[in-house]
Amino acid sequence: DVKVTQSSRYLVKRTGEKVFLECVQDMDHENMFWYRQDPGLGLRLIYFSYDVKMKEKGDIPEGYSVSREKKERFSLILESASTNQTSMYLCASSLFWLPTGRYTGELFFGEGSRLTVL
Amino acid sequence: EDKVVQSPLSLVVHEGDTVTLNCSYEVTNFRSLLWYKQEKKAPTFLFMLTSSGIEKKSGRLSSILDKKELFSILNITATQTGDSAVYLCAVRGGSQGNLIFGKGTKLSVKP
């Protein structure tokens, strides 16, 4: 079965703390993504990665960084958490598109990490 | 700017009703449109549509895409309380080929 696992379901941190959100997928997917989801704003892409050690900025990368040292693991880092980063964070993965047609548009999501910054 | 707009934002119906959820888009380099259902946790995949006019069906849910008018609808017939969820529409396209999400439609089905 397809599995994307986010290590922390609920976190409470203080302003200024460094926060790590971990995501692991067991599907050998090339692509991994970090979104945040806020009421009234929907899902917004923070960062994504097409390969190990590769990262690309999404729509709202400010205040975040990422790390992808292994294919199965994609970490989101808040260097100095702020209250406006209180949100639900969703990790996702997908297969890479190849000219041969091995492609799926489907994202597989983790259960989410609800972060509260006080 | 690429955008995906869903309507209505929320909807309350009674069990047995039929509902239609709408998704319109303005996205460059369109590749596909996807529907997801999100209950309390991770969004789960429903459909992916790439061609106009071809209905995708799964049980009481169905969806169709109109690439000329740039919209899709998701129909749910004979709704049940278990259909209560946020339904997300997403379009793959744009300069990077990522999914661009709408804000979702919150469906509440009352017994």
Side-chain angles (χ1 to χ4, degrees):
Chain A
D1 232 9
V2 165
K3 193 78 173 170
V4 178
T5 303
Q6 294 183 232
S7 55
S8 304
R9 294 292 309 278
Y10 300 94
L11 300 96
V12 179
K13 297 290 181 181
R14 299 213 172 268
T15 301
E17 280 192 87
K18 191 168 186 176
V19 181
F20 290 90
L21 299 179
E22 300 283 333
C23 175
V24 177
Q25 51 96 1
D26 64 359
M27 298 163 286
D28 201 35
H29 283 172
E30 284 84 359
N31 301 336
M32 295 189 76
F33 305 83
W34 275 106
Y35 289 88
R36 64 177 283 178
Q37 186 175 30
D38 301 286
L41 296 176
L43 273 82
R44 292 179 293 166
L45 182 62
I46 305 172
Y47 266 98
F48 60 101
S49 170
Y50 286 147
D51 202 349
V52 175
K53 296 193 185 294
M54 214 225 93
K55 59 186 178 185
E56 293 284 346
K57 292 180 180 179
D59 300 318
I60 51 163
E62 296 78 18
Y64 303 94
S65 62
V66 290
S67 171
R68 192 155 181 213
E69 296 296 316
K70 294 185 178 181
K71 189 176 185 181
E72 67 271 18
R73 188 179 299 270
F74 192 36
S75 303
L76 181 69
I77 304 152
L78 288 68
E79 291 288 343
S80 177
S82 62
T83 54
N84 63 12
Q85 292 178 310
T86 291
S87 186
M88 169 70 85
Y89 290 88
L90 289 166
C91 175
S93 71
S94 74
L95 277 170
F96 188 65
W97 176 80
L98 294 172
T100 54
R102 179 174 177 254
Y103 174 79
T104 174
E106 179 182 355
L107 287 183
F108 295 89
F109 284 91
E111 301 266 295
S113 298
R114 185 167 291 282
L115 172 67
T116 301
V117 183
L118 302 175
Chain B
E1 183 186 337
D2 296 321
K3 62 181 180 181
V4 176
V5 178
Q6 292 185 246
S7 63
L9 290 181
S10 66
L11 188 57
V12 181
V13 300
H14 288 95
E15 273 192 314
D17 288 350
T18 293
V19 298
T20 298
L21 309 183
N22 303 293
C23 176
S24 64
Y25 62 90
E26 293 176 28
V27 174
T28 55
N29 303 315
F30 174 91
R31 299 180 192 179
S32 57
L33 185 145
L34 289 83
W35 286 97
Y36 284 85
K37 177 183 182 182
Q38 186 178 24
E39 294 172 88
K40 292 200 185 299
K41 37 190 182 178
T44 53
F45 174 75
L46 294 174
F47 299 111
M48 183 169 72
L49 304 154
T50 54
S51 302
S52 273
I54 298 174
E55 185 183 54
K56 294 255 179 138
K57 201 168 169 64
S58 176
R60 295 176 294 103
L61 278 67
S62 63
S63 183
I64 197 161
L65 173 67
D66 186 328
K67 288 168 74 173
K68 184 180 176 186
E69 300 297 329
L70 308 182
F71 77 92
S72 174
I73 59 172
L74 175 68
N75 278 323
I76 309 175
T77 58
T79 51
Q80 303 171 355
T81 54
D83 295 326
S84 296
V86 174
Y87 290 85
L88 300 169
C89 174
V91 174
R92 184 173 296 281
S95 58
Q96 295 174 319
N98 287 320
L99 282 181
I100 302 156
F101 281 85
K103 294 181 181 178
T105 293
K106 183 176 180 181
L107 174 65
S108 299
V109 182
K110 304 292 186 189

